Amino acid sequence: MSRPPELISARGLAARYGVTRAYVRMLLAREGAPAPVDVEGGARESVYDLRDALPFMDAHIKRQG
C-alpha cells in the first residue's frame, strides 16, 4: 500500500521560501510545474504533493541566505 501524499499549500511554500504567495502561484503556473492534488471535500486553496513541489521550487528559487 502506498503512502498518502504529504500536502503543502501555496501559502506554506511561500512561508518556507520567504517569498510571496503571488510569486509561488506564478511559478506553479509554469509548464512543468507539479499539478495540484485533488483533495476530497475540496480545499480553500490549491495544495501540492510535498515530494513534487519542493524539488520544483528548489530549482526555481534561489534561497536568500
Side-chain angles (χ1 to χ4, degrees):
M1 188 161 147
S2 65
R3 285 183 18 200
E6 296 178 48
L7 304 177
I8 191 165
S9 66
R11 177 180 289 188
L13 288 167
R16 186 178 193 121
Y17 289 95
V19 296
T20 65
R21 282 184 281 165
Y23 185 66
V24 170
R25 287 192 301 267
M26 187 256 326
L27 286 177
L28 292 172
R30 290 182 175 181
E31 188 173 327
V37 175
D38 186 26
V39 177
E40 185 176 331
R44 294 183 76 181
E45 64 178 302
S46 296
V47 292
Y48 301 87
D49 186 332
L50 192 64
R51 293 172 290 209
D52 295 334
L54 291 185
F56 177 81
M57 296 298 289
D58 283 340
H60 290 86
I61 293 181
K62 293 182 180 176
R63 288 187 184 239
Q64 302 295 323

